[in-house]
Amino acid sequence: MAQAYVTETGNGGSGPEGPQSWRRRLRRLLDTLRNDPGVWRRGIATAAVAVLLALVMLFHAQIPNDIGNLGSLTETFLPWLGVFIPVLLVIGVVRRSATALIALLLPVIVWLNAFGGLLTDKQGTGGDLTVATHNVNADNPDPTGTARDVAKSGADVVALEELTASAVPTYEKALKDTYKYHSVQGTVGLWSKYPLTGTEPVDIKLGWVRAMRSTVETPKGEVAVFVAHLPSVRVKLDAGFTATQRDNSADALGKAISHDTTGKVVLLGDLNGTMNDRALNAVTAQMRSTQGAAGSGFGFSWPASFPMARIDQIMVKGVEPVSSWTLPETGSDHLPIAARVKL
């Protein structure tokens, strides 16, 4: 005789579980925790780490730079401290520690308060001027392809950094059909669809030219465009985060921007630092990041193979950011970035 086997859902069968089943599971879990005398004693160390993580993110500006520029190093990769949150969450759940899970709320709140706004898409439409910047890498194996890729962005104004004397003619040739006007000062250059006037190098205390300024004559009026490539930083075991030269150059760049009387200013370049790095305050305190104001996500630009920090920046003063984004990878170790602004 054939027998029929019926699976009953909601009574321990293999069918889909309804709301009643989940409520029973939750009640059993809560009962287990209430009857577990160690639920508050376990995970004290995990809770302490969670509190420490929250304090580092909350008071990062108080971490001293006297020893190895530890404060700036922490601020450069500050968003990545959030990676420890899911790790601590797993540990707290596995240990069944109420103490650890409650303490974990602290770093969650601090991280969301600091970076939650970057997770939303703030890009708008419209705008008057599209700008782009790219550290093309002195050792770029394909400068022609890189130049063409940047030109495809549709930018009206393009800044390039880390230009070598031997590569400049290649970039000039590849970009001349798209950009009628250009100027190269030292290792940085500016290409524009609109006339450039008052172009000159900017002294950022290096002894050679790695920054420039030019007035772009747009249909909506004059815009002062600064292009800068601040000195590189290194992380060394014996010296920590070596950034003194970059910090001095940032101060000089900030001073030059503050003295500009144009009223509308755009800064394009590789600053070798993030918006969180206090060492760039001379610049960041007076300008807005287009990514922070009108971007989507963190907009990390370096290294191109696995971006971990946004050290390439587009900042504005007296100009309204409309949208900001990263461009596809080229032959460089940096990603190009672009933004559209309203004048």
Side-chain angles (χ1 to χ4, degrees):
M1 178 183 294
Q3 294 181 336
Y5 293 90
V6 179
T7 301
E8 297 182 5
T9 61
N11 292 310
S14 58
E17 297 181 345
Q20 293 294 334
S21 177
W22 282 110
R23 279 195 281 269
R24 283 197 298 272
R25 285 171 178 261
L26 181 59
R27 281 198 298 269
R28 284 199 297 268
L29 175 61
L30 293 175
D31 290 341
T32 301
L33 292 177
R34 278 196 295 266
N35 297 324
D36 184 355
V39 70
W40 297 104
R41 293 196 298 269
R42 286 193 302 269
I44 298 297
T46 305
V49 173
V51 172
L52 178 61
L53 181 63
L55 292 175
V56 170
M57 290 191 289
L58 189 60
F59 298 107
H60 61 86
Q62 277 64 55
I63 300 175
N65 259 343
D66 297 335
I67 302 176
N69 284 298
L70 183 60
S72 287
L73 177 60
T74 302
E75 289 164 340
T76 297
F77 299 102
L78 196 60
W80 288 95
L81 292 181
V83 171
F84 293 103
I85 292 176
V87 175
L88 294 175
L89 174 62
V90 171
I91 294 174
V93 171
V94 171
R95 294 293 310 279
R96 290 191 300 172
S97 168
T99 302
L101 294 176
I102 292 175
L104 191 59
L105 291 174
L106 292 175
V108 170
I109 292 171
V110 173
W111 192 93
L112 288 176
N113 181 65
F115 304 110
L118 293 175
L119 301 179
T120 60
D121 188 351
K122 300 178 289 298
Q123 297 189 88
T125 57
D128 307 308
L129 185 72
T130 301
V131 296
T133 181
H134 190 24
N135 179 327
V136 295
N137 187 1
D139 299 320
N140 192 318
D142 183 21
T144 300
T146 295
R148 289 174 179 167
D149 288 342
V150 174
K152 290 177 183 176
S153 68
D156 303 304
V157 177
V158 171
L160 300 182
E161 303 86 47
E162 208 165 295
L163 294 169
T164 62
S166 59
V168 166
T170 302
Y171 287 105
E172 291 176 330
K173 181 180 179 180
L175 295 171
K176 68 178 182 179
D177 292 337
T178 306
Y179 301 98
K180 185 177 179 180
Y181 308 94
H182 88 279
S183 176
V184 175
Q185 305 284 327
T187 61
V188 297
L190 188 65
W191 276 258
S192 174
K193 295 179 180 180
Y194 307 121
L196 302 175
T197 61
T199 303
E200 60 184 2
V202 174
D203 182 12
I204 55 173
K205 310 303 180 185
L206 286 176
W208 68 95
V209 179
R210 282 176 55 145
M212 64 180 287
R213 178 210 176 277
S214 187
T215 300
V216 180
E217 305 284 349
T218 79
K220 293 286 187 176
E222 294 184 347
V223 180
V225 176
F226 285 79
V227 182
H229 182 195
L230 298 188
S232 300
V233 296
R234 297 288 185 271
V235 180
K236 300 179 180 179
L237 292 177
D238 59 340
F241 195 58
T242 57
T244 301
Q245 196 173 41
R246 182 211 58 181
D247 299 350
N248 294 336
S249 291
D251 291 341
L253 177 62
K255 185 176 181 180
I257 293 172
S258 68
H259 289 171
D260 196 276
T261 59
T262 308
K264 297 177 180 179
V265 182
V266 176
L267 170 62
L268 307 170
D270 174 7
L271 302 190
N272 272 304
T274 68
M275 292 295 294
N276 295 312
D277 192 339
R278 77 193 71 168
L280 302 185
N281 277 353
V283 176
T284 58
Q286 60 178 314
M287 307 191 80
R288 298 174 68 192
S289 163
T290 58
Q291 183 66 24
S296 177
F298 291 95
F300 294 149
S301 63
W302 177 89
S305 57
F306 187 80
M308 297 183 65
R310 186 179 177 88
I311 63 175
D312 302 275
Q313 305 289 352
I314 299 177
M315 299 186 203
V316 297
K317 181 168 68 170
V319 173
E320 185 66 26
V322 173
S323 57
S324 186
W325 63 97
T326 57
L327 296 169
E329 187 175 357
T330 69
S332 173
D333 57 339
H334 291 242
L335 292 178
I337 61 175
R340 187 151 179 84
V341 299
K342 183 178 181 180
L343 303 179

